[in-house]
Amino acid sequence: MTNWMPNPTTLSRPAYLALAEQFARAIESGALPAAARLMPHRKLADALGLSVQTVSRAYDELIRRGLVTGEVGRGSFVLGPGAEARQPYLPERPGEVIDLSILKPVVEVMHLDRMRAGFAWLAENLAAPSALSFRPNMVMPHHRAVAADWLGRHGIPAEANGIALTNGATPAITAAIMAVVPTGSGLASAALTHHTIKPLCGYLGLHLEGVAMDDNGMLPASLDEVARKGLIRAVYLQPNVINPLARMTPVDRRAELVEVARRHDLAIIENDILNMMIPDRVTPFAALAPERTLHICGFSKITVPGMRMAYLHAPPRYATAVANRHLVANWMATPAMADLLSHWVKDGTVTDLATWQARAMAERHAVAAQVLGPMMPACHGNSLHIWMRLPEGWTEEAFVEQARLHGVGVAAGSAFRATEKGRREAIRVSLGSTRADELRRGLVVLSGMLTDVPEALLPTI
């Protein structure tokens, strides 16, 4: 138990927030070291002359910021400055599962501070139409202009009137597919693709054709073979590291795919959500084939998860269709968040956070390489995840289940398959979804499982 105590005479209203701020400063300064056990709620409330509810809300706020962990039956413990907030979908089981299953960037207290500062700016600068108008054309023209300028500076030729701002990449993917793939026709994607593509095509009544691939991405000859059937109208690609293999598609492969797309008049949907976070990225499809490429650039993976915004740019041929599909599915992106994103684009926050994230992921890759050694898969050094093929004898389902029983969550490869042809058992492991020390512990567990002889665990009675 620590000897540090908050000062009740300096608490402003709301008291729980002021109390949490005192704790946060003490943790940051080292007055409350990592692993220190905090006083029980009631004992601290009595000592400070506060209600138990106020102390409980302060502790909850510290947990939300990722500074403290609460463990049932043991108490509350300091995680230390820079610790990541726990995932919201495991609040009832804190500390029991190291979740490496969700694709998430590295986050620290700094990210929460940036978001709070952004909301403070928004409170002072919120545009009247953003609060009061239902009409997208009253809200979005300025943001489209900001987006066009930003995209152009990062190698994506863009016209403001071809840009739709969306609440993240998933609505952008949906609007793009709806715009270029009519009901009853087909979409091509790599055999391993975004986990929402297969169910989305099912919901929309579209045929999904999984195209053969290698470590560099989709095979042009295989796309050509599929396109000759005459059913597919577009091809969905994730060339810049965000694909399941976490690889970069080289520019010569991109040029070959563009040639096939032009030959068969296919639209190209390019999911490029990491964009500027990848320092050695190569020429995007949007620059190689601007007349047919719908380009998606997101921000939640490169800045802060709460920045649920993306730019979807369509060439003139598809711009009206994209605007219409987005209108009927979403009406418009949240105007206040569009205001904040434009502010962050113009003041350099997006660049700062993306650069920070690239460094953070490089550090996580170093941790993974150290733990996994020769089992470390080949992947890009700034990717948010690694794709690990399983040794013979393991099935994905059995591996995922046993990893969970060992306290580690990972994603089965089946979630990313557009086709079962050429299936190889694999798992996706997120490198940014938890703290670095938890990542290391989780990878040690996975490493042990990968070198062990696969055998089903017997049920415990």
Side-chain angles (χ1 to χ4, degrees), residues 38-53:
L38 304 186
M39 292 178 67
H41 296 211
R42 184 170 297 280
K43 187 174 181 180
L44 181 61
D46 291 343
L48 299 180
L50 299 172
S51 68
V52 174
Q53 181 184 23

Side-chain angles (χ1 to χ4, degrees), residues 195-212:
H195 64 94
T196 66
I197 295 297
K198 189 171 183 177
L200 178 60
C201 286
Y203 302 150
L204 296 176
L206 306 177
H207 171 71
L208 177 63
E209 189 76 44
V211 181

